Amino acid sequence: MESGFDLARAGAAAPMQFRVLGPDSGGPTLTDVRRLFRGQRMTATRRSRLGQSGRILAMCGLRVVGLAAYERSERELRVTELGLDHDSACGTDEIASGLLDALELACMASGARRLVLLPRATPANALLRRRGYVSIADGTAGNWFEKTFA
């Protein structure tokens, strides 16, 4: 029988938690990054840019299950990376929705009124459309989405 600690470590039935990290704080391990961005090429330049961005970590128990990296300007919050753990006990839609909630809150709290998701930071299009995001650019690398706030 598994103890409560073992269940939390595996992420089973654990509540989602989110942590905001600045560029000067530690982040997920390289193993976590590889798991979150499985199937994607994580060059040294891309990892460096990820480490220098503002980041939001999604935690399911003690396990890192999501990561959103963003850059902030006066007028917008631009999400450059979004990685999800597809093997987590917390579902990918739940992880993506929680990260989007946190990003939207960060956007409004910073005084920005536009949240832009670059192609590498785009979860399922249907999820984004249900949440009020619209496609603003279609390219060979994918779609850019935005949500504006009054």
Side-chain angles (χ1 to χ4, degrees):
M1 178 174 195
E2 291 182 292
S3 70
F5 180 76
D6 292 332
L7 288 172
R9 184 175 345 154
M16 293 282 297
Q17 296 179 342
F18 299 88
R19 296 182 184 158
V20 177
L21 305 174
D24 57 340
S25 64
T29 66
L30 185 55
T31 301
D32 287 333
V33 170
R34 287 182 178 143
R35 181 172 33 80
L36 297 174
F37 295 96
R38 188 178 346 164
Q40 299 181 37
R41 188 164 177 231
M42 292 301 291
T43 63
T45 302
R46 189 173 174 196
R47 286 192 316 268
S48 175
R49 187 173 41 241
L50 184 67
Q52 294 173 15
S53 299
R55 292 157 292 162
I56 299 174
L57 285 181
M59 308 289 295
C60 188
L62 299 176
R63 181 180 172 118
V64 175
V65 295
L67 170 67
Y70 60 90
E71 298 169 355
R72 184 177 27 214
S73 73
E74 257 181 54
R75 298 176 15 214
E76 71 183 22
L77 193 80
R78 186 172 285 198
V79 184
T80 57
E81 301 280 352
L82 186 90
L84 303 172
D85 182 349
H86 294 278
D87 297 327
S88 169
C90 295
T92 53
D93 277 353
E94 181 184 352
I95 299 165
S97 289
L99 285 170
L100 289 169
D101 286 343
L103 289 162
E104 291 171 11
L105 182 61
C107 182
M108 291 184 291
S110 72
R113 295 293 174 239
R114 181 176 182 225
L115 180 60
V116 177
L117 300 169
L118 276 59
R120 279 196 276 215
T122 304
N125 291 355
L127 173 66
L128 292 173
R129 289 190 193 331
R130 281 194 310 269
R131 294 180 60 96
Y133 287 82
V134 295
S135 178
I136 57 172
D138 297 324
T140 56
N143 293 345
W144 289 51
F145 283 87
E146 79 169 355
K147 185 172 184 177
T148 54
F149 305 95

